[in-house]
Amino acid sequence: MRRFNPRLALLVLAFLSCASASPRTVLHQKQSPYTLVAVTQDAEGRRYLQFDESGALQSVVWPGQPLKLELGYTRMAMVGLAFVPRPQRILVVGLGGGAMPMFLRAVLPEAHIDVVDIDPDVVDVARRYFGFTEDARLKAHVADGRAFIEAKRPAYDLVFLDAYGPDSIPEHLGTVEFLAVVRARLTARGVVVGNVWEDPPNPLFSSMLRTWQAGFRQLYTFEVEDHANRIFVGVPSAEKQSREALASRAQKLERERGVPFDLSAMVLEGFADVTGRKELSGQVLKDKRQASPAPVP
């Protein structure tokens, strides 16, 4: 946990208010048990969530308009729906402002969605400032993501891991043993989608790539245009996925589910199959309490 620095807090607020051409109004600032949480709003009504002093945007939301995914990585993460077009149970680790779970709730009204975040203040802010509303099919849980996944519960068709920061990775959520735990909570054709920052600013990017490659039978990555984010999709099954097949399914989603952005073009442009790539640098990240990773079944 980072130590709170009042001077840095003031610098963050100055950045939040002045960094854009359209100054943003500070709506909320609080030091949570884990980080500085700041909410701002621009003149057009978009609301922004930022943590600590990094300046990275955690969420950008139009309250009341869940189909508007403003951040490029959130749009690209929906490639998970091309891998699993009709998920019945979805888990999102890392709530932020709630942009992704609210989008998923809007386009998949029949799905059950669990969202887990370790920080109670983040959950409170999502509800108070970003329009995040729970119902019978969308539930938020304040808990550690790994402990939540390790608990006995029904399997998920899709798991989104959105708890990695630009230069800070929760150690216990980045290891091959953790990915084995997530894999064990998937249905037979389920997949895991992760939002991972490249290097820079994330010095562990190469190791995370190697770890995901070791943790799944197949690994696909998708570049996010003009951003340092990369979307990982880990697939436990042996069936290969082609760029063209994924783009075709994405296009069907746009037509049938009302996805309001060109996901199919993003898939075609950003797709890479790194399953058997041998030249990857970095080391497989492991739990400190264990000597060897769990094998991929």
Side-chain angles (χ1 to χ4, degrees):
M1 181 177 73
R2 298 190 179 195
R3 190 179 301 276
F4 179 58
N5 184 324
R7 184 170 178 272
L8 279 175
L10 292 174
L11 290 173
V12 170
L13 289 181
F15 172 82
L16 296 176
S17 300
C18 304
S20 64
S22 175
R24 303 207 296 264
T25 301
V26 177
L27 302 181
H28 173 87
Q29 179 209 354
K30 181 182 177 182
Q31 176 66 26
S32 82
Y34 299 94
T35 188
L36 175 68
V37 179
V39 180
T40 59
Q41 178 174 297
D42 67 20
E44 297 179 53
R46 278 179 295 253
R47 293 189 176 180
Y48 302 76
L49 177 66
Q50 290 179 269
F51 296 158
D52 60 49
E53 69 276 13
S54 71
L57 292 173
Q58 302 296 325
S59 285
V60 181
V61 173
W62 292 86
Q65 301 185 63
L67 292 180
K68 282 192 170 184
L69 287 178
E70 286 287 303
L71 295 181
Y73 92 84
T74 60
R75 295 192 294 272
M76 182 58 89
M78 293 307 131
V79 69
L81 299 179
F83 283 85
V84 187
R86 289 177 293 279
Q88 296 302 303
R89 290 181 55 83
I90 301 171
L91 173 63
V92 182
V93 179
L95 173 61
M100 290 206 302
M102 287 191 288
F103 177 89
L104 291 164
R105 181 70 183 90
V107 300
L108 298 167
E110 72 281 5
H112 175 89
I113 304 168
D114 285 317
V115 191
V116 59
D117 200 290
I118 197 171
D119 195 332
D121 288 351
V122 170
V123 177
D124 179 60
V125 159
R127 291 168 175 157
R128 289 171 56 199
Y129 294 99
F130 292 93
F132 177 74
T133 304
E134 296 165 83
D135 57 32
R137 291 186 175 272
L138 174 59
K139 296 292 183 183
H141 309 265
V142 177
D144 173 77
R146 182 159 178 171
F148 184 87
I149 293 170
E150 286 175 341
K152 201 168 185 179
R153 62 187 71 256
Y156 293 98
D157 302 296
L158 268 174
V159 175
F160 291 89
L161 300 179
D162 193 21
Y164 305 131
D167 59 356
S168 59
I169 308 301
E171 186 175 327
H172 66 304
L173 300 184
T175 65
V176 73
E177 291 87 1
F178 169 67
L179 294 179
V181 170
V182 180
R183 204 172 62 233
R185 287 290 175 264
L186 292 177
T187 57
R189 301 182 67 82
V191 304
V192 182
V193 180
N195 170 42
V196 181
W197 293 72
E198 294 183 304
D199 184 12
N202 174 18
L204 288 178
F205 176 77
S206 294
S207 292
M208 293 186 75
L209 190 59
R210 281 283 296 114
T211 302
W212 279 63
Q213 188 189 55
F216 295 96
R217 284 190 175 181
Q218 298 179 68
L219 177 61
Y220 302 88
T221 66
F222 297 84
E223 291 188 17
V224 181
E225 186 177 7
D226 298 327
H227 290 80
N229 305 80
R230 188 83 65 88
I231 299 302
F232 291 2
V233 180
V235 181
S237 65
E239 183 182 350
K240 296 293 289 182
Q241 303 287 335
S242 73
R243 182 198 311 258
E244 293 72 24
L246 291 169
S248 177
R249 286 186 220 130
Q251 193 171 57
K252 188 175 181 181
L253 282 166
E254 295 162 24
R255 183 174 64 251
E256 296 182 356
R257 297 284 186 172
V259 173
F261 49 87
D262 197 347
L263 181 60
S264 54
M266 294 169 64
V267 169
L268 285 171
E269 180 67 23
F271 174 94
D273 182 351
V274 299
T275 301
R277 193 169 293 178
K278 302 295 186 183
E279 72 275 15
L280 297 182
S281 60
Q283 296 183 337
V284 174
L285 301 173
K286 302 176 183 178
D287 284 352
K288 290 182 178 178
R289 67 178 184 270
Q290 294 182 1
S292 59
V296 176

